[in-house]
Amino acid sequence: MMRLSVLPVAETGSIRGAADRLNIEPSVVSRQIHQLESELGVQLLQRHGRGIVPTEAAKLVINHCRERRSSEALLLTQISELKGLERGEIHIVAGEGFREELVRWVLRDFCQQHPKLVVTLEFANAVDTVRMLASDQAHIGLAYRPPIDPAVRTVMVRKQPMCVITWPGHPLTEKKQPLALGDVCPYPVGLMSNGFGLSNLVKLAQYHDRIQFESNLVTNSIATLKSYVKAHLGVTFLSSHAVANEIAEGTLVALRTRSEVFESAEAHLMVRAGRQLSVAAESLLAMLKQKAVFDGS
């Protein structure tokens, strides 16, 4: 427990935050840290502004704690599986654009096959998805153009071009397909907030094509972008997979572009590098890899 107290301090950035997470007094956390520093003969924490940051020595301890926590969770899951209970927990973190696919593949297919498993499905931007995988806060991650992190390994890449999303009858639907990104410039555009893979792609595409979109909405919600377009307030940029239901209903259309950046966009299925997953998590990962078939759309 003494060593594990270093981890919540590093993750929350304060003794108080770690104490709240562990449900103990801050003085207990401080005492445990001081005891560990005395035992190891090194300083573990340094004050930085209003918070606390780990030293290089502390980072080694933190990595040890994470590996230990991951190993203990794996051991408990494996013991349960050996008993034939197939109980355990799987934590998935993904971009909101994968919601429909994950509900269909995970909640419908996988969870029905394994009703005793508890699956946590959390949605986050690409930066937070990678961070949660690297810190063992999630087992499996899905992200659109995620940032590179040596602690995270991509197990599969799926081509998923980004499209112009608009409504049937919009003037862009009458233009020659695929569209040039310059065709979109006269119209208002809704964009994802910074930190999302979609936002990074739009910035890169604008730089590559030397254009600038007129944005009148910035949000961290794909659902809000869909509503924005359905209300005929402007267009947006998403993959066709993210609006598959709306396309089937006839409320939205996805228009391909001639943009090299948009056409080369990829979705990444990821895990933490070096992490041994439970049998259940490996089974789910295999299912996601099997379902992620490139159809060229």
Side-chain angles (χ1 to χ4, degrees):
M1 181 177 177
M2 185 187 300
R3 285 176 171 78
L4 289 177
S5 64
V6 180
L7 184 55
V9 172
E11 291 177 342
T12 63
S14 70
I15 297 292
R16 168 66 66 179
D20 290 342
R21 178 180 294 186
L22 296 172
N23 197 28
I24 58 178
E25 291 296 322
S27 59
V28 177
V29 176
S30 296
R31 186 163 60 251
Q32 291 176 352
I33 298 296
H34 290 322
Q35 288 175 349
L36 184 55
E37 288 180 328
S38 177
E39 179 184 334
L40 297 177
V42 293
Q43 183 179 1
L44 296 176
L45 301 174
Q46 294 178 329
R47 292 201 171 275
H48 182 74
R50 296 183 178 180
I52 293 176
V53 296
T55 63
E56 289 301 314
K59 291 177 182 177
L60 295 176
V61 176
I62 290 167
N63 287 337
H64 165 76
C65 291
R66 286 174 174 158
E67 290 291 347
R68 176 180 164 186
R69 184 171 63 181
S70 177
S71 297
E72 289 177 350
L74 178 63
L75 175 62
L76 292 175
T77 300
Q78 289 175 332
I79 290 175
S80 294
E81 290 167 344
L82 285 174
K83 291 179 179 179
L85 299 176
E86 292 188 352
R87 289 176 180 158
E89 296 183 4
I90 305 174
H91 194 134
I92 305 170
V93 60
E96 190 187 353
F98 299 98
R99 182 188 301 272
E100 298 299 329
E101 292 172 304
L102 288 175
V103 167
R104 183 168 64 252
W105 295 341
V106 177
L107 300 185
R108 188 189 69 185
D109 297 346
F110 186 80
C111 289
Q112 286 183 357
Q113 294 175 22
H114 306 278
K116 294 181 180 179
L117 286 172
V118 177
V119 175
T120 298
L121 186 53
E122 187 171 350
F123 295 101
N125 63 35
V127 173
D128 286 340
T129 296
V130 170
R131 176 186 57 79
M132 291 177 69
L133 288 172
S135 61
D136 279 343
Q137 293 176 269
H139 300 96
I140 299 171
L142 273 165
Y144 211 46
R145 199 175 185 273
I148 297 174
D149 189 320
V152 174
R153 177 172 65 91
T154 293
V155 297
M156 189 171 188
V157 177
R158 182 178 69 182
K159 184 179 179 183
Q160 200 170 88
M162 188 146 71
C163 303
V164 178
I165 308 300
T166 185
W167 61 89
H170 187 282
L172 286 173
T173 62
E174 304 299 324
K175 285 190 170 290
K176 182 180 178 181
Q177 310 292 321
L179 295 173
L181 287 188
D183 295 336
V184 183
C185 290
Y187 304 99
V189 173
L191 299 174
M192 289 295 287
S193 307
N194 290 335
F196 288 84
L198 293 171
S199 174
N200 295 335
L201 278 169
V202 171
K203 291 177 182 177
L204 185 60
Q206 287 182 118
Y207 177 80
H208 185 272
D209 286 22
R210 293 180 173 82
I211 58 173
Q212 185 68 45
F213 299 122
E214 292 296 328
S215 173
N216 62 357
L217 172 69
V218 177
T219 178
N220 65 350
S221 167
I222 287 180
T224 299
L225 288 180
K226 292 181 183 180
S227 297
Y228 165 83
V229 178
K230 289 179 182 178
H232 296 194
L233 298 175
V235 303
T236 191
F237 306 108
L238 298 169
S239 74
S240 60
H241 294 268
V243 292
N245 288 346
E246 289 79 7
I247 291 174
E249 295 167 355
T251 56
L252 295 177
V253 293
L255 308 176
R256 294 284 283 269
T257 74
R258 298 198 293 271
S259 166
E260 294 180 12
V261 174
F262 279 12
E263 284 296 296
S264 62
E266 297 173 335
H268 289 239
L269 178 63
M270 302 169 291
V271 297
R272 179 172 68 77
R275 180 171 190 175
Q276 184 180 358
L277 298 176
S278 68
V279 173
E282 283 285 4
S283 178
L284 177 55
L285 186 64
M287 173 181 281
L288 291 174
K289 290 168 67 176
Q290 180 182 11
K291 296 289 186 180
V293 178
F294 299 133
D295 57 11
S297 63

